[in-house]
Amino acid sequence: MSATPEARPHPSPETSPRVVVIGAGIVGCSLADELTARGWTDVTVLEQGPLPAPGGSTSHAPGLVFRTSPSKTLTEFARYTVEKFGSLSHDGVPCFAPVGGLELATTPERLAELHRRAGLAAAWGVRGEVVSTARCKELWPLLDESVVLGGFHTPEDGLARAVPACRAQLDRATARGARFLGRHTVTGVERADGRVTGVVTDRGVFPADHVVSAAGFWGPVIGRMAGVDVPLQPLAHQYARTRPLPELSGARAEATLPILRFQDADLYFREHHDRIGIGSYAHRPLPVDPFGVPGYEEARGRGMEMPSSYPFTEEDWAPSWADARRLLPALRGAEVESGFNGVFSFTPDGMPVLGEARELRGFWLAEAVWVTHSAGVARAVAEWMVDGRPSIDVHDCVVTRFEEAQRSPAYVRERGSQQFVEVYDVTHPLQPMERPRPLRVSPFHARQEQLGAFSLEGGGWERPHWYEANAPLLADLDAKPPERDPWSARYWSPVAAAEARATRERVALYDMTPLRHLEVTGPGALDFLDRMTTNKLRKKPGAVTYTLLLDETGGIRSDLTVARLAEDHFQIGANSPADLDHLLRHAADADVHIRDITPGTCCIGVWGPLARALVQPLTGDDFSHEGFGYFRARRTHIGHVPVTALRLSYVGELGWELYTTADLGLRLWDTLWEAGRELGVIAAGRSAFNSLRLEKGYRAWGTDMTTEHTPAEAGVGFAVRMDKGDFVGRDALRDRPEPTRRLTPLLLDDPAAVVLGSEPVSVDGTTAGYVTSAAYGYTLGRCVAYAWLPAGLAPGTGVHIEYFGEKVPATVAEEPLFDPEMTRIRR
């Protein structure tokens, strides 16, 4: 897609929606440009400060753009920002300086991390390489190479000049019909019948069909006016400039050296002609109350340069200044000329907050966006508004991703502050936040603690990954799991191998409570769900169906398990709060009621060849294969506990998901545990679960497949019934060409090798795709990895997965890898 959007023919005033964008920073200006280029020209951008530098985060942004991120989405945003700003200039000033980027390692751990980042860059299509100490010195002559072990160089990264970029896009949008109004302070958001109708300012009311909050750290203030929670925490961040340095004397260009990161000391550097700018994340978190940030004039009255520029706290600077001088000897005789604490935004998970609010139709958020990602975010939001969906997957950015438990001011403040602390940390993909924990626990939590559960966190839930009580089972394994390198050994235990084997050979209890559970009822429930999903749901009560939610282009929004419990009563296993939001939005005209029953529901997966021997004596109903078939549901009792039993298995073994209300959960656990003692029942965690599900080839939405993928590409085409009648996405699937890529199973050739996910995969020496999910398959004795690769790779084809700079050989496999005849599940 072009980095400079081609303007479409303008619709007539009667058809062009009225859009009001709140905030004329880099996001607001970029969004106005993207919207008007798509033909939405009735765009008004309101700004409380003066234009073009109104005093928000954009006005002081240092502009460093490093594109590589563990998030593919953020990398895509940053890549488009570089492409777009690289094509723009204002008053002869280019909006992007492609000086390159250089990240340094001064410890062996950081050097290993740079190799991992190089792998991420290759996976996401960013050019970069790990370079030697000598090459680092060539790129940045001011370095003391004696403290540098190596670096990661990305030649196309560089400096975004945010204010000129704002002006360039403002001019283009204005030429297409947009208007930008400075000195307009928003005081209210008007609404009627659940929809936004206008924006109130100190200079009048602006009617609107759509309102976009691009207000930066003022986002929570605007959100409150609209009755919308904006989970965003502003924090102050230190930035200083030195006095002129002799080593840079005579500099004509603003910058020629690569932008520089010294992440081991939480510092970054850039040139300002003959000065060096230094940013620090090394200091204590300095949270800022968004409701206490002064307006532009008030800030000037307090002696502040702008609202986002707080006084420099010298006491926080001293350690960073010492570290900076250790890296750059030229600073040892230098002085700091100026400094400030710049305010910008963090969220609980470090990702932007995007999309239309559930609480108020037509009210959109484009918040917690850094300059690095600004143009990419603006394009995605503009596509969303105009076309109904972004062209890339943004599921980890949508505002509806947050659970209710993650929206409290205390939670947002604490986790936002921790995100600041961890900006430059070496963060493992499984690493959980430390506080506040525990927040959400299942009714079985006390029993799990007694069994020595090692839990990680997701969605606020404590999720056991293994149980130390199962450590003695390692002695019974025929072969111990291979030793792991320090990185892959984090948040892992060989106990998972014992739990996987016990599941394959006996029976195990899995806590499935944190999975999303929805209830859909009402006379229109069947018609509604049948229209929304891809598989046939017109089955008798008691049927369970695996199906998909698609968007209008045929991309996979989510996958669902739908149990028809009665004529007009369905229970759904979903993935995230965004699934609930999606269904609610489409149910407005349906005779249907949708309810999230997750908080009041708990679930135990009872899986393994002895699962029937465990549950049958506890119920008067027939749990035989003939009496209770695969993908069937039944309301019954387990001991004294009423349950909804679904005969499903995500580990490839016989078993059931047993649901009950939270108040009876502990009794259900104890009943199953006591009855299972003589069968050797164990509690098993997510680590074993992930291994077993990958051996069966079961996909995880959000990791293995997203809206960027179709069912045929993802290998879930069996869940699509084109002959069932109309459903969302059907027309798009019908017109789709044959896939050119597929989600492909790989087995690592070396039984001791392990990868974790997001690694690049090369075919014939060329990067051809990337790993999505990976886990050691304890039954198979090999690590299993799924990867997006070109279609047509035959089983047996050799590939290489890059893991910390090493090329790990792997082979395309035929799926399912385990029990292809499904005899273990259907027994």
Side-chain angles (χ1 to χ4, degrees), residues 76-392:
E76 289 287 343
F77 287 160
R79 179 159 49 194
Y80 183 71
T81 299
V82 168
E83 293 173 359
K84 184 177 186 181
F85 290 2
S87 69
L88 297 176
S89 63
H90 186 264
D91 287 342
V93 177
C95 295
F96 185 78
V99 294
L102 181 62
E103 303 179 44
L104 300 177
T106 60
T107 65
E109 294 77 13
R110 180 67 64 177
L111 186 59
E113 169 68 2
L114 294 188
H115 279 286
R116 186 173 79 99
R117 287 182 63 77
L120 290 169
W124 311 147
V126 175
R127 187 164 72 96
E129 63 174 337
V130 176
V131 297
S132 67
T133 300
R135 179 59 177 151
C136 291
K137 180 69 172 178
E138 290 176 8
L139 291 165
W140 246 85
L142 302 186
L143 291 175
D144 179 353
E145 69 263 44
S146 69
V147 302
V148 176
L149 300 182
F152 175 48
H153 181 221
T154 46
E156 282 89 31
D157 287 343
L159 288 169
R161 297 184 175 100
V163 174
C166 284
R167 289 300 305 271
Q169 294 177 101
L170 182 156
D171 290 347
R172 294 202 313 190
T174 300
R176 300 182 191 123
R179 57 177 175 167
F180 290 74
L181 302 177
R183 306 286 190 178
H184 280 64
T185 299
V186 173
T187 59
V189 175
E190 293 186 333
R191 41 197 157 152
D193 300 322
R195 184 166 189 89
V196 70
T197 59
V199 176
V200 183
T201 76
D202 58 351
R203 297 193 179 190
V205 178
F206 294 82
D209 303 302
H210 298 272
V211 172
V212 185
S213 177
F217 53 76
W218 282 291
V221 179
I222 302 300
R224 180 175 292 183
M225 296 177 190
V228 174
D229 285 332
V230 180
L232 174 161
Q233 176 60 55
L235 287 109
H237 159 62
Q238 289 201 304
Y239 191 79
R241 292 193 194 194
T242 68
R243 294 189 184 279
L245 300 178
E247 292 81 356
L248 298 178
S249 63
R252 295 185 178 181
E254 178 187 6
T256 58
L257 300 177
I259 52 177
L260 185 68
R261 276 177 170 169
F262 180 20
Q263 290 151 302
D264 289 322
D266 293 311
L267 295 173
Y268 62 83
F269 305 83
R270 58 154 293 181
E271 295 169 280
H272 293 279
H273 295 284
D274 59 355
R275 294 162 170 80
I276 296 292
I278 308 167
S280 172
Y281 293 100
H283 55 83
R284 63 196 166 97
L286 299 168
V288 173
D289 179 5
F291 295 90
V293 176
Y296 189 87
E297 296 301 335
E298 183 184 353
R300 303 284 284 188
R302 293 187 192 179
M304 300 164 61
E305 183 179 347
M306 61 185 78
S308 61
S309 179
Y310 275 47
F312 194 62
T313 50
E314 293 282 355
E315 65 275 17
D316 294 308
W317 178 248
S320 293
W321 185 231
D323 285 329
R325 290 186 291 180
R326 177 166 62 92
L327 181 70
L328 304 179
L331 300 180
R332 292 171 189 171
E335 295 179 353
V336 171
E337 181 177 64
S338 62
F340 63 96
N341 288 4
V343 182
F344 64 136
S345 304
F346 287 81
T347 59
D349 58 7
M351 298 295 286
V353 177
L354 311 179
E356 188 180 28
R358 178 185 302 174
E359 303 93 329
L360 184 61
R361 296 191 306 278
F363 184 81
W364 295 77
L365 297 172
E367 299 289 12
V369 181
W370 295 7
V371 171
T372 298
H373 310 115
S374 55
V377 163
R379 179 181 68 173
V381 173
E383 291 171 337
W384 211 338
M385 296 174 70
V386 176
D387 303 325
R389 70 181 290 274
S391 59
I392 66 170

Side-chain angles (χ1 to χ4, degrees), residues 499-508 510 605-612 625 630-631 646-657 688-689 691-693 695-696 698 779-780 818-820 822-827:
E499 294 178 0
R501 177 173 175 176
T503 306
R504 291 278 188 240
E505 295 183 353
R506 298 194 304 278
V507 61
Y510 287 82
V606 184
W607 291 314
L610 301 182
R612 183 175 289 114
H625 182 63
Y630 189 51
F631 264 75
L646 275 58
R647 189 171 169 196
L648 304 175
S649 174
Y650 289 100
V651 299
E653 296 292 337
L654 169 69
W656 289 264
E657 291 180 357
F689 176 91
S691 169
L692 297 170
R693 71 103 180 162
E695 289 183 334
K696 283 298 293 180
Y698 294 145
T779 315
L780 302 174
F818 176 78
D819 188 27
M822 301 283 284
T823 56
R824 299 177 71 89
I825 292 178
R826 299 178 184 274
R827 59 174 110 197

